[in-house]
Amino acid sequence: MSKTIQMEKLKIKEPEGKLGVLLPGLGAVATTFIAGVLAIRKGLGKPFGSITQMQTIRLGKRTEKRTPLIKDFVPLADLSYLVFGGWDIFKENCYQAARRVRVLDENLLEKLRPELEKIEAMKGVFNRNYVRNLNGNYIKWGNRWEMAQKLIEDIRSFKRKNKCQRLVMIWCGSTEVYMKKHRVHSSLKNFEEGLKKDSKFISPSMIYAYAALKEGIPFANGSPNLCVDTPALVELSKITKTPIVGKDFKTGQTLMKTIIAPGLKARVLGIRGWFSTNILGDRDGEVLADPLSFKTKEKSKLSVLDYILQPNLYPELYGKIEHLVRINYYPPREDNKEAWDNIDIFGWLGYPMQIKINFLCIDAILAAPLVLDLVLFLDLAKRAGLYGIQEWLSFYFKSPQVAEGLYPEHDLFIQLTKLKNTLRWMMGEELITHLGREYYET
Ligand SMILES: NC(=O)c1ccc[n+]([C@@H]2O[C@H](COP(=O)([O-])OP(=O)(O)OC[C@H]3O[C@@H](n4cnc5c(N)ncnc54)[C@H](O)[C@@H]3O)[C@@H](O)[C@H]2O)c1
């Protein structure tokens, strides 16, 4: 039998006291997440889709039969210790926002009403140049530096009032216009100068990320915005020893893509074309109707196939793919998105075949458990002394943020293996390579 390698466990602080969850953008995703956690706490629903709550992890050899739930294996905060807050650019409480987005059932929301009504949006940091289809009127005033300071005040006062021991921030605000990295993003010094000079290259989501990182609060970016994916904010995350992760929650059509594309590639089946189209009717859809916000989303959605299929290594199979992504704003559908994919594939001797996928999903229902997992895992990472980019959480994102010069891993199953191995590594358990020779060695 091969030897078991004993790994050293990381020192992880216990999750004592309340964990405050701060969400810029109290729209469909944020309210479905908050109301969902409240419902689960009352036994009114189950956390389906959440890895932290429902998935197991195998430890040691298959013969050992040790497969605890992840939440029983790593010291995660208990759901009963979460408290919620956030910002928006419209003055609404969480109950009103949840009713407006119409994702969750009215009867369920009535049962949660007193708690949801207490969560009032704080005034957002907003500028229409970055989200051109929204016209928020509940916003802070000042230059970028002053707004960052106001956000820091909000954070401290939320922490004090709610008696939180720790905080996590997840960006659930709208998709901003497409932005490229600029000199102002190249270092923390340039970024802070940019804030003071009110540089137009600093978008609102970057100001939230800056405020969180200054306070040492783990930050995840659920949208495709550039946001925390800049050398300046990565530098700040290292200085304040804060975990960060992004970008763009992997739900719906891209989730399907990252399930199917690795399968086709594993069987070396070729792809000639992949046409993806969506109809979507909520505020997110309205924002994405602006070509500049759509460009940010499109970049995020398009990159996935290239990285998974590696056309440079397989030019005959994936060198000439027609990959198109369309999103149409169609109000009657609200958050109930409908996505169609047509995949033109080829097999043995180049014979053509087609796959059609018609996914009728509720976007926020797919995104809410991701928010929960990110909250709990980022809090765990912070207590374990991890900081900077947390690539092991790329499982949750369409455009995983990675170290400069590294290409992101998009294959959902590799991402899950990475996530679970990171948890094993944290807890001093043997990593699982799936080699399995020991079962056949006598
Ligand atoms: N729904 C999904 O499955 C999914 C998947 C991937 C990514 N996302 C991204 O997550 C984000 C949220 O999605 P959603 O469906 O909840 O959208 P939504 O439009 O329902 O909610 C976004 C909220 O953010 C608010 N907002 C915009 N700019 C703000 C600012 N600067 N400060 C504070 N609040 C601001 C808006 O008023 C709105 O209430 C979007 O960026 C979306 O692209 C969502």
Side-chain angles (χ1 to χ4, degrees):
M1 278 298 223
S2 63
K3 266 195 260 153
T4 306
I5 306 150
Q6 190 54 48
M7 322 265 292
E8 205 173 319
K9 184 174 179 270
L10 298 192
K11 286 194 181 70
I12 307 176
K13 290 191 190 128
E14 283 303 309
E16 278 159 12
K18 289 192 198 166
L19 173 61
V21 181
L22 288 170
L23 306 166
L26 291 173
V29 172
T31 57
T32 307
F33 156 67
I34 296 173
V37 172
L38 299 177
I40 291 159
R41 289 209 296 226
K42 288 183 189 302
L44 300 172
K46 293 266 180 200
F48 298 120
S50 160
I51 301 291
T52 56
Q53 305 304 301
M54 303 211 75
Q55 189 155 136
T56 59
I57 182 164
R58 180 187 128 200
L59 304 175
K61 308 276 168 263
R62 273 180 271 165
T63 43
E64 291 177 37
K65 298 195 167 40
R66 286 195 295 146
T67 45
L69 284 169
I70 286 177
K71 70 176 175 152
D72 297 331
F73 173 55
V74 283
L76 298 175
D78 190 87
L79 298 195
S80 55
Y81 286 92
L82 302 190
V83 279
F84 307 96
W87 296 264
D88 207 288
I89 56 170
F90 298 95
K91 187 171 169 32
E92 277 179 329
N93 64 46
C94 256
Y95 173 76
Q96 292 165 321
R99 284 296 298 262
R100 177 179 48 77
V101 300
R102 290 160 50 113
V103 175
L104 297 175
D105 182 71
E106 279 174 30
N107 293 328
L108 177 66
L109 292 177
E110 273 324 298
K111 290 185 189 141
L112 309 169
R113 186 170 181 163
E115 285 162 280
L116 287 173
E117 277 181 341
K118 278 194 209 133
I119 307 167
E120 304 252 9
M122 297 181 266
K123 269 189 188 170
V125 167
F126 184 68
N127 183 323
R128 261 198 102 177
N129 293 332
Y130 303 89
V131 180
R132 302 187 310 174
N133 283 4
L134 293 187
N135 199 1
N137 50 14
Y138 189 58
I139 52 180
K140 296 190 195 304
W141 293 104
N143 67 26
R144 285 165 172 75
W145 175 258
E146 288 161 347
M147 290 198 282
Q149 306 314 311
K150 287 181 183 173
L151 285 177
I152 292 175
E153 279 167 32
D154 286 349
I155 292 170
R156 291 184 181 168
S157 118
F158 176 88
K159 190 172 181 191
R160 215 175 28 248
K161 278 191 206 144
N162 291 285
K163 301 189 174 58
C164 295
Q165 296 294 315
R166 307 169 321 281
L167 298 169
V168 170
M169 190 186 290
I170 316 280
W171 171 265
C172 292
S174 307
T175 302
E176 296 174 339
V177 296
Y178 180 65
M179 291 175 80
K180 286 200 177 129
K181 283 184 195 151
H182 179 265
R183 202 186 68 84
V184 87
H185 307 130
S186 62
S187 70
L188 183 58
K189 183 169 166 289
N190 289 346
F191 188 87
E192 291 190 328
E193 253 173 46
L195 282 174
K196 287 177 187 156
K197 290 187 181 150
D198 215 17
S199 161
K200 66 174 183 183
F201 297 104
I202 299 182
S203 72
S205 69
M206 293 177 189
I207 304 177
Y208 286 95
Y210 172 81
L213 298 185
K214 273 303 255 191
E215 293 294 283
I217 299 171
F219 182 92
N221 173 16
S223 74
N225 305 348
L226 189 57
C227 189
V228 76
D229 191 7
T230 62
L233 293 180
V234 172
E235 185 184 334
L236 179 56
S237 74
K238 290 180 185 162
I239 293 170
T240 59
K241 303 230 175 315
T242 312
I244 54 171
V245 69
K247 319 183 272 226
D248 205 6
F249 299 131
K250 178 147 81 178
T251 58
Q253 198 167 47
T254 309
L255 174 65
M256 287 300 142
K257 245 176 215 172
T258 59
I259 292 172
I260 288 166
L264 295 174
K265 185 184 171 208
R267 288 296 175 105
V268 281
L269 291 168
I271 303 178
R272 285 215 174 87
W274 197 313
F275 177 66
S276 303
T277 186
N278 296 270
I279 52 175
L280 176 62
D282 59 8
R283 192 180 279 171
D284 190 25
E286 190 179 351
V287 168
L288 294 174
D290 171 23
L292 290 184
S293 284
F294 174 68
K295 189 169 175 201
T296 314
K297 198 57 143 184
E298 189 188 27
K299 286 258 171 205
S300 172
K301 283 178 167 258
L302 282 176
S303 63
V304 166
L305 279 191
D306 259 5
Y307 287 118
I308 293 182
L309 300 173
Q310 297 177 295
N312 51 328
L313 296 183
Y314 302 97
E316 285 174 307
L317 290 157
Y318 311 117
K320 282 193 205 127
I321 300 182
E322 210 51 62
H323 185 199
L324 299 178
V325 177
R326 301 277 178 267
I327 300 179
N328 289 299
Y329 177 49
Y330 180 63
R333 272 306 163 90
E334 300 175 342
D335 199 47
N336 299 330
K337 184 158 90 176
E338 181 158 4
W340 290 267
D341 283 272
N342 170 75
I343 316 163
D344 284 292
I345 67 169
F346 56 93
W348 190 242
L349 308 179
Y351 274 65
M353 294 169 269
Q354 290 180 12
I355 302 174
K356 313 274 179 190
I357 304 167
N358 181 199
F359 190 12
L360 287 86
C361 72
I362 312 175
D363 249 3
I365 292 291
L366 294 170
L370 310 194
V371 180
L372 174 61
D373 285 357
L374 287 165
V375 165
L376 299 182
F377 279 147
L378 281 176
D379 174 52
L380 172 74
K382 172 91 185 180
R383 283 183 285 106
L386 305 180
Y387 54 87
I389 300 167
Q390 303 299 302
E391 203 201 323
W392 61 285
L393 297 174
S394 56
F395 177 72
Y396 295 104
F397 296 98
K398 281 196 198 71
S399 309
Q401 186 172 343
V402 287
E404 206 67 27
L406 201 64
Y407 71 82
E409 190 52 76
H410 279 285
D411 177 328
L412 190 78
F413 303 101
I414 296 180
Q415 291 173 331
L416 182 62
T417 305
K418 190 191 274 282
L419 187 154
K420 287 190 171 178
N421 266 340
T422 304
L423 297 178
R424 294 183 186 106
W425 166 75
M426 279 185 191
M427 301 304 288
E429 286 283 342
E430 194 180 345
L431 304 189
I432 292 188
T433 63
H434 302 288
L435 180 63
R437 288 289 311 152
E438 61 276 22
Y439 303 116
Y440 301 93
E441 286 168 1
T442 48

